[in-house]
Amino acid sequence: MKFTQQGEVVVRIALREQSTTHALLHVEVGDTGIGVARDAQSRLFEAFTQADGSTTRRFGGTGLGLAISKKLVELMGGEMGMHSVEGQGSTFWFTARFEKPQGPVRQSAAIPATLAGRRMLVVDDNETNRQILHHQLAAWGIQDVGVSNGDEALAALRAAAQHAPPSTWRSSTARCPAWTA
């Protein structure tokens, strides 16, 4: 986070494989920070190494974090790497094998059946936020349309009103398309 003055840092986790006792996860931490020069990338996982001396002076650090992290990941049966474009940001990733818990698993709260099949309009100027909401809504059986601003939202609402029969409109105060539950 210290290398990202503007923008965002996003953590993504995906299940790569699993057995009855273990799960292999792929974890990515991406940022819109300063990025790492191509010639420095190969040395970045070595102890006491940073991209360049000015990085150490500007942001601090010993150059041990990535070396320690890589060793821990390897001890967990995984791999670690990165992709970076200088001036655009970096994505560090690792895989690791985790033991699955044995015994009963706590269930999450049930999603009301009344939400399944509904449509929702998501308006947010941040693409990452729209993606997060899209995945959550899809898991609940909700169809969504994501847009980045008010003008796009109004256009999406108008298009929905033209294509949806009035019997599907739901609102306690006005007649509008059923974008929300």
Side-chain angles (χ1 to χ4, degrees):
M1 295 185 71
K2 66 183 178 182
F3 298 109
T4 307
Q5 300 296 319
Q6 297 179 31
E8 61 191 16
V9 176
V10 178
V11 178
R12 293 179 179 87
I13 302 173
L15 176 65
R16 289 299 157 121
E17 62 185 57
Q18 68 177 322
S19 68
T20 56
T21 60
H22 289 82
L24 180 68
L25 300 181
H26 177 91
V27 180
E28 290 184 353
V29 180
D31 66 50
T32 55
I34 62 174
V36 179
R38 190 175 250 335
D39 60 336
Q41 291 179 24
S42 62
R43 301 184 318 270
L44 212 52
F45 292 95
E46 297 172 9
F48 304 108
T49 301
Q50 290 195 353
D52 62 46
S54 66
T55 301
T56 304
R57 286 187 300 278
R58 187 168 162 203
F59 296 102
T62 61
L64 286 173
L66 289 173
I68 292 169
S69 297
K70 184 171 184 171
K71 185 64 175 172
L72 287 171
V73 164
E74 289 170 349
L75 289 170
M76 295 177 73
E79 300 176 290
M80 187 170 192
M82 70 169 298
H83 309 286
S84 186
V85 176
E86 195 170 9
Q88 294 183 19
S90 303
T91 298
F92 290 85
W93 61 268
F94 70 90
T95 59
R97 188 166 307 281
F98 294 92
E99 188 174 328
K100 293 170 74 174
Q102 301 301 310
V105 177
R106 190 179 103 202
Q107 298 292 321
S108 60
I111 304 305
T114 57
L115 293 179
R118 295 291 182 121
R119 297 184 300 161
M120 184 173 288
L121 177 62
V122 175
V123 184
D124 195 310
D125 62 351
N126 183 285
E127 173 67 23
T128 301
N129 290 343
R130 291 194 308 271
Q131 286 296 316
I132 290 167
L133 284 169
H134 166 74
H135 290 291
Q136 185 65 59
L137 294 169
W140 292 343
I142 298 172
Q143 302 169 20
D144 70 290
V145 172
V147 297
S148 64
N149 60 54
D151 290 337
E152 290 177 10
L154 290 173
L157 288 170
R158 286 185 191 106
Q162 290 176 352
H163 294 94
S167 63
T168 65
W169 296 359
R170 305 231 196 303
S171 173
S172 60
T173 60
R175 294 174 54 93
C176 61
W179 283 102
T180 59

